[in-house]
């Protein structure tokens, strides 16, 4: 559990950078965690007083998967939208889906979990959204 503060986002980013250190996917994983955790504290109860978010990172030789679960409280679940480059908002999950091989959004009545999977093989043949 990470505090729903900008400092918590920074801590999650550092922790993610340290986990898959030897992986060529480490930089993308760090960027994705930064984006997902920042969105959690900005758009959900995770950013409220005493709010938090949960981060999970799984690493294997071929895959890095990162998941951020928020505290809920948002009227709608996160969704991937490909916004115009000039848009000031709404590009976060589009960017995540451009970096990741697969993005999964799991929505419950209590919270939302966004999981991004990065595949090492996708680096050689391009990324799929």
């Amino acid at each position: 559990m990470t505090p729903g503060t900008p400092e918590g986002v920074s801590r999650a980013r550092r922790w993610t950078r340290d986990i898959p250190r030897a992986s060529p996917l480490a930089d993308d994983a760090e960027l994705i965690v930064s984006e997902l955790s920042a969105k959690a504290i900005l758009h959900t109860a995770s950013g409220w007083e005493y709010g938090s978010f949960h981060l999970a990172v799984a690493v294997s030789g071929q895959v890095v998967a990162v998941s951020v679960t928020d505290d809920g409280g948002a009227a709608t679940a996160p969704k991937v939208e490909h916004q115009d480059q000039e848009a000031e908002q709404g590009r976060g999950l589009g960017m995540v889906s451009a970096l990741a091989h697969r993005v999964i959004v799991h929505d419950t009545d209590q919270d939302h979990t966004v999981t991004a999977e990065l595949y090492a093989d996708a680096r050689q043949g391009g990324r799929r959204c």
Side-chain angles (χ1 to χ4, degrees):
M1 181 168 53
T2 304
T5 63
E7 293 80 16
V9 172
S10 180
R11 184 177 356 165
R13 188 174 49 246
R14 282 191 309 271
W15 187 70
T16 302
R17 181 178 47 232
D18 290 344
I19 296 295
R21 191 178 298 234
S23 171
L25 304 171
D27 289 340
D28 286 350
E30 179 185 355
L31 182 58
I32 288 170
V33 164
S34 181
E35 183 64 29
L36 295 179
S37 55
K39 294 299 181 195
I41 69 168
L42 182 63
H43 297 295
T44 74
S46 293
W48 299 352
E49 186 174 9
Y50 305 112
S52 63
F53 61 92
H54 299 265
L55 170 64
V57 179
V59 180
S60 74
Q62 295 299 311
V63 179
V64 174
V66 296
S67 296
V68 173
T69 301
D70 64 40
D71 279 348
T76 60
K79 61 183 174 183
V80 177
E81 296 179 332
H82 297 281
Q83 297 286 343
D84 184 296
Q85 290 288 66
E86 302 300 316
E88 292 184 21
Q89 295 183 16
R91 294 192 319 245
L93 282 180
M95 181 204 56
V96 169
S97 72
L99 291 171
H101 186 266
R102 186 164 80 153
V103 177
I104 304 156
V105 177
H106 183 75
D107 180 36
T108 71
D109 291 338
Q110 293 82 31
D111 56 32
H112 312 98
T113 300
V114 179
T115 301
E117 297 176 349
L118 299 144
Y119 300 163
D121 291 347
R123 291 290 189 163
Q124 298 160 355
R127 294 187 178 117
R128 293 185 297 158
C129 292

